[in-house]
Amino acid sequence: MARPIKETPILYGEDARRFEARMQERRRISAEERAKMKATYEALKSVCDFM
Amino acid sequence: MTDKEFTDRYTIHRMAEQEVVTAFNCGDEDLNGFILTDAPLYRKEKLAVTYTVFEKDNSDNVVAFFSLSNDRISISDFDNKTRYNRFSRRFNNHKRLKSYPAAKIGRLGVSESMKYMNIGSMLLRFIKLYFTVDNKTGCRFITVDAYAAAIPFYLRNGFVPLNDEDADEPTRLLYFDLNDLDED
């Protein structure tokens, strides 16, 4: 048996505050990166046998 | 590897319940053990679904895989677990938790023969948009239980550590905020 997949822990205290603050931050990938991601997604989706 | 080279050569396949992979080597015994032995058990118990990438003209040649589960990131009003547990025991119905839906990459491996060809990053891009564009339910984050050696790879792909508690463990929990993909 491989190592079990670790459960995601509940965040407390400073970890929770840091996480929530980061959630509110506005980070955006560039239009170029978004286009690249979308192109890869559509290409890979076309060879999925389940979609 | 370009998108076209990938689509010309490979299929992405969702493993069925009884399906097994008989050969795979990514150079890590534990990851190999997962795909060769554990993946069908996780599937049977509905804990994770594993997807394989195999050659179109030879489905036995699995070059990569990833497994996905439902997850959540929960944050508590309390400063530590002990205080939270004490409160929960006294007030059963007051969870004092906020939870955000997530999807977890339990394991992701690329065969040794295909290393350094960008397949891992392509699969991460696919997973991020799979849970943004074609998701059936709400999902804000992608989490991953990353092997220590793979942490730089995930950081390069926009993931960040959830906290520092597992910094020295064999695997570390990282997350990616799917809101980062929103257009302005």
Side-chain angles (χ1 to χ4, degrees):
Chain A
M1 289 285 276
R3 186 179 295 124
I5 295 169
K6 197 157 61 184
E7 198 170 319
T8 303
I10 296 171
L11 298 176
Y12 299 95
E14 189 52 40
D15 290 335
R17 283 187 282 276
R18 195 182 311 122
F19 179 83
E20 279 206 301
R22 192 172 185 278
M23 271 187 80
Q24 307 307 322
E25 286 173 17
R26 188 177 174 80
R27 294 173 304 278
R28 294 288 184 265
I29 60 171
S30 66
E32 188 185 349
E33 176 65 13
R34 187 178 297 108
K36 191 174 160 189
M37 283 188 77
K38 194 149 194 242
T40 298
Y41 178 68
E42 293 300 333
L44 269 58
K45 187 177 165 182
S46 74
V47 294
C48 287
D49 66 3
F50 55 90
M51 292 177 81
Chain B
M1 177 177 289
T2 65
D3 294 345
K4 185 169 186 323
E5 285 168 336
F6 186 103
T7 55
D8 283 348
R9 288 181 65 182
Y10 302 113
T11 294
I12 302 178
H13 170 70
R14 178 159 51 198
M15 287 178 72
E17 205 169 288
Q18 303 296 329
E19 200 174 339
V20 292
V21 170
T22 53
F24 181 81
N25 182 21
C26 65
D28 182 288
E29 284 301 312
D30 206 60
L31 272 176
N32 291 345
F34 181 86
I35 186 65
L36 296 172
T37 309
D38 295 358
L41 305 175
Y42 276 85
R43 181 79 163 101
K44 185 172 186 303
E45 296 301 322
K46 299 179 175 59
L47 298 175
V49 174
T50 300
Y51 299 76
T52 56
V53 178
F54 59 71
E55 281 190 326
K56 283 182 174 175
D57 52 7
N58 178 11
S59 62
D60 289 335
N61 187 16
V62 172
V63 298
F65 77 91
F66 55 93
S67 68
L68 300 174
S69 308
N70 290 320
D71 197 13
R72 54 90 187 94
I73 296 180
S74 297
I75 58 176
S76 166
D77 291 344
F78 291 88
D79 280 340
N80 57 59
K81 195 173 183 176
T82 310
R83 284 190 178 186
Y84 169 70
N85 286 341
R86 216 174 274 159
F87 180 89
S88 299
R89 275 195 293 273
R90 288 181 63 189
F91 304 101
N92 279 340
N93 294 323
H94 293 266
K95 288 175 73 180
R96 301 285 294 270
L97 281 178
K98 276 183 270 186
S99 291
Y100 299 95
K104 177 181 277 182
I105 303 170
R107 296 286 176 259
L108 185 154
V110 176
S111 73
E112 285 217 296
S113 61
M114 300 302 293
K115 287 249 163 84
Y116 310 112
M117 296 185 76
N118 206 30
I119 287 186
S121 291
M122 292 174 87
L123 293 176
L124 284 186
R125 270 184 238 138
F126 174 79
I127 292 166
K128 288 172 184 174
L129 287 194
Y130 185 37
F131 284 97
T132 309
V133 178
D134 283 315
N135 199 26
K136 293 186 177 67
T137 60
C139 181
R140 172 72 189 259
F141 300 102
I142 302 293
T143 58
V144 61
D145 185 24
Y147 283 65
I151 289 172
F153 161 73
Y154 285 104
L155 297 180
R156 279 198 304 278
N157 281 281
F159 285 74
V160 293
L162 197 58
N163 60 27
D164 291 329
E165 284 180 15
D166 56 1
D168 298 321
E169 292 181 13
T171 64
R172 187 164 193 199
L173 281 155
L174 310 174
Y175 74 96
F176 179 86
D177 189 343
L178 290 173
N179 268 13
D180 291 0
L181 305 181
D182 285 353
E183 292 185 39
D184 287 328

